[in-house]
Amino acid sequence: MESLTISEWLQIELKQKRFPERMPAHRRVYEAIRSAIASQYLTPGARLPSTRSLAEDLGVSRNTLLAAFEQLHHEGYVVSRIGSGTRVATTLPDGFFEVEHRADNLGTQDIGRVSGLSQRGSAAAGRPDGPSYEVQPFTPGEDDYSAFPTQLWRRLLNRQWRDPNPAHLDYGHAGGHLPLRRAITNYLRMSRAVNLTVEQVLITSGTQQSIDLCARLLTDHGDRVWVENPCYWGARRVLEVNGLDLYPVAVDDEGMAPSNADFRQVPRMIYTTPSHQYPKGVVMGYGRRRLLLDYAASKEAWIMEDDYDSEFRFEGRPLSSLQGMDQNNRVLYLGTFSKAMYPGIKLGYLVVPPGLAEHFKRGLYELQRPGQIVIQAALAEFIEEGHFSTHIRRLRQIYADRRRLLQQALAPVTRYGARLPPAGSGLHLVVELPSHCDDVRVASLAAEQGLRVYPLSCYGVGEKREKGLIVGYAYAATERIAPYGRILAEVIQTVLSQ
Ligand SMILES: Cc1ncc(COP(=O)(O)O)c(C=O)c1O
């Protein structure tokens, strides 16, 4: 094997690998090259043959090869530089060598205590199957990283490092860098009608940390927390690890829909995603918002409003935040830069009622040690100089096009009993499947075609689990959405017509 050229190795791989019949040629070539990297036949830094000669050797068109290279490039497996061709990246995407095509591994199933771990540790890290970190077309929660203005961002970071203020190298104990807190205050006032002063804003390392801080500072072990059913698993995990009693509340076409029986199960805290319910995508109506706010005020319960992707509303007027309607200081408003910038920036914000601001700053410092002030300073300039709005406008257009193309490609599945609820915002859509359908199996079949979608049932809390697929459209290139969407539609149709 050692003496084979890479072309020969790939030819054998393409012949031996049992690719699904409908898998497009560029996808097969992509998979073969990825295997060469995974098996270390191609080592980091290794140079790939030119697209022209490789296309000839493999007997495929140059366009097919270019599409495969583009995908590898987009996902970080290879890098191209003018004059030195295409090489295997020296840093491969995280989790690459642990890839498994499992679709049911969100790890939301309840587990008991794991030997050696504490109860809390078991809830956090005891699951046998951690999530697979491999990103494929349609992986929910991924952004279009290629659209990020890297050079501009590098310039802003360099500006901070040229003559760093010593205070920026410390943890910082004021709840974050003041100019960033100011920039966020202005942004939230203007675009989300959040009612706030800069003193109420804390910079955190994202929603996960914001939820953890709220749980630790506002609840005690065993307290009841209402969560939406289905629910964002990231939030669910943090709440469980904090020893809270999760009480699932159904979601209807107007968002979280507590029944009279639910109202009797008084919570200490409510976690909700009113602007775009995760994962179902519905928007909470005005009446429901009022009801929730009045109920929380009457029971002195806290509401955590997770407004994770409201920047990406494509249709209709944006609804203002729940926080902006609250007259009783019961709402904690959570935002993130994971979607509008990139997840690894690890920056988000938490707006707390005025009476809690100082306690939260102290709690953040004592429990989690903040920091990253240099990046916060660069981000403040990114927002203040108008780049943030420009970037969001650009992404919004890209994602709106991708969503439209995906909806068109998936439309035929509605003839087989699936439902495609209208989705006017966000980075994913949901295909609702009939209750008898095994959505985990559909997701596994899609994975065999190189597409990664999540089964809706894995987001269910308790007994009641709806069936469906969560399909992210932000990551795959626009011209690939329709062909991939058609493959997914065929997978769904095949299962539904059995
Ligand atoms: C509902 C919801 N909230 C928040 C986030 C982002 O969280 P973080 O800021 O921790 O990256 C996500 C990411 O997918 C999400 O789906």
Side-chain angles (χ1 to χ4, degrees), residues 141 205-209 232 271 273 278 306 308 336 338-339 343 346-347:
S205 69
T207 309
Q208 207 71 351
Q209 191 184 59
Y232 170 48
Y271 168 78
T273 47
Y278 194 91
D306 181 355
Y308 63 105
T336 180
S338 286
K339 309 285 174 196
K346 293 291 311 153
L347 286 178

Side-chain angles (χ1 to χ4, degrees), residues 405-436:
L405 290 166
L406 182 60
Q407 279 175 325
Q408 282 168 2
L410 292 178
V413 303
T414 54
R415 291 202 296 269
Y416 294 78
R419 216 171 78 87
L420 272 180
S425 64
L427 311 186
H428 73 271
L429 56 80
V430 175
V431 183
E432 292 178 5
L433 297 171
S435 57
H436 60 81

Side-chain angles (χ1 to χ4, degrees), residues 314-329:
F314 312 123
E315 288 162 7
R317 280 184 47 233
L319 272 173
S320 64
S321 60
L322 199 60
Q323 196 273 6
M325 293 171 62
D326 174 27
Q327 284 158 357
N328 298 291
N329 288 324

Side-chain angles (χ1 to χ4, degrees), residues 357-375:
E358 281 314 310
H359 302 297
F360 266 68
K361 281 176 199 163
R362 209 167 306 134
L364 180 67
Y365 190 83
E366 293 301 332
L367 298 173
Q368 299 168 340
R369 286 286 185 273
Q372 301 278 36
I373 308 292
V374 174
I375 296 187

Side-chain angles (χ1 to χ4, degrees), residues 60-339:
V60 296
S61 74
R62 185 141 178 262
N63 276 348
T64 297
L65 213 81
L66 285 172
F69 271 39
E70 188 191 304
Q71 181 81 30
L72 290 160
H73 187 258
H74 192 62
E75 294 175 7
Y77 294 113
V78 301
V79 287
S80 310
R81 210 163 276 140
I82 298 163
S84 71
T86 302
R87 291 178 184 275
V88 178
T90 42
T91 317
L92 290 168
D94 279 354
F96 174 62
F97 291 106
E98 304 149 23
V99 167
E100 250 192 273
H101 282 288
R102 287 183 56 102
D104 57 344
N105 55 6
L106 289 173
T108 51
Q109 70 278 23
D110 297 317
I111 53 158
R113 190 174 181 139
V114 174
S115 156
L117 295 185
S118 64
Q119 198 65 48
R120 196 175 35 229
S122 304
R127 272 153 244 268
D129 298 314
S132 158
Y133 298 106
E134 188 189 28
V135 177
Q136 297 272 18
F138 298 152
T139 304
E142 294 294 331
D143 312 348
D144 181 353
Y145 304 119
S146 66
F148 187 70
T150 319
Q151 287 191 8
L152 170 67
W153 183 237
R154 188 188 316 138
R155 220 176 45 238
L156 293 178
L157 284 174
N158 286 347
R159 199 189 283 170
Q160 294 303 322
W161 279 113
R162 213 166 289 143
D163 183 18
N165 178 341
H168 293 182
L169 304 182
D170 203 347
Y171 294 126
H173 51 260
H177 186 51
L178 185 59
L180 180 59
R181 291 168 48 222
R182 272 201 209 108
I184 291 170
T185 305
N186 293 335
Y187 170 73
L188 292 179
R189 261 192 208 133
M190 301 277 293
S191 61
R192 304 295 304 129
V194 175
N195 182 9
L196 79 172
T197 65
V198 68
E199 282 71 36
Q200 290 168 255
V201 180
L202 279 91
I203 310 297
T204 66
S205 69
T207 309
Q208 207 71 351
Q209 191 184 59
S210 300
I211 297 174
D212 191 43
L213 197 59
C214 293
R216 288 186 194 219
L217 296 188
L218 301 178
T219 64
D220 287 308
H221 194 276
D223 279 350
R224 182 177 299 125
V225 178
W226 280 8
V227 293
E228 295 162 330
N229 189 19
C231 177
Y232 170 48
W233 58 268
R236 176 181 173 178
R237 185 63 47 80
V238 175
L239 297 170
E240 278 171 350
V241 168
N242 276 287
L244 297 169
D245 174 18
L246 267 55
Y247 182 85
V249 175
V251 171
D252 66 12
D253 284 348
E254 290 204 58
M256 192 177 220
S259 64
N260 286 340
D262 295 334
F263 281 128
R264 285 192 288 275
Q265 302 296 321
V266 178
R268 173 87 177 132
M269 192 150 73
I270 300 170
Y271 168 78
T272 179
T273 47
S275 308
H276 187 224
Q277 201 275 334
Y278 194 91
K280 289 196 68 183
V282 293
V283 178
M284 191 181 283
Y286 181 83
R288 196 64 67 70
R289 289 171 186 242
R290 268 267 68 91
L291 185 72
L292 214 53
L293 285 169
D294 291 347
Y295 176 73
S298 69
K299 302 295 177 197
E300 298 194 340
W302 300 106
I303 299 180
M304 275 192 291
E305 175 181 15
D306 181 355
D307 205 11
Y308 63 105
D309 71 356
S310 55
E311 290 86 2
F312 302 108
R313 183 161 184 85
F314 312 123
E315 288 162 7
R317 280 184 47 233
L319 272 173
S320 64
S321 60
L322 199 60
Q323 196 273 6
M325 293 171 62
D326 174 27
Q327 284 158 357
N328 298 291
N329 288 324
R330 303 310 305 174
V331 178
L332 298 110
Y333 177 92
L334 283 54
T336 180
F337 287 103
S338 286
K339 309 285 174 196

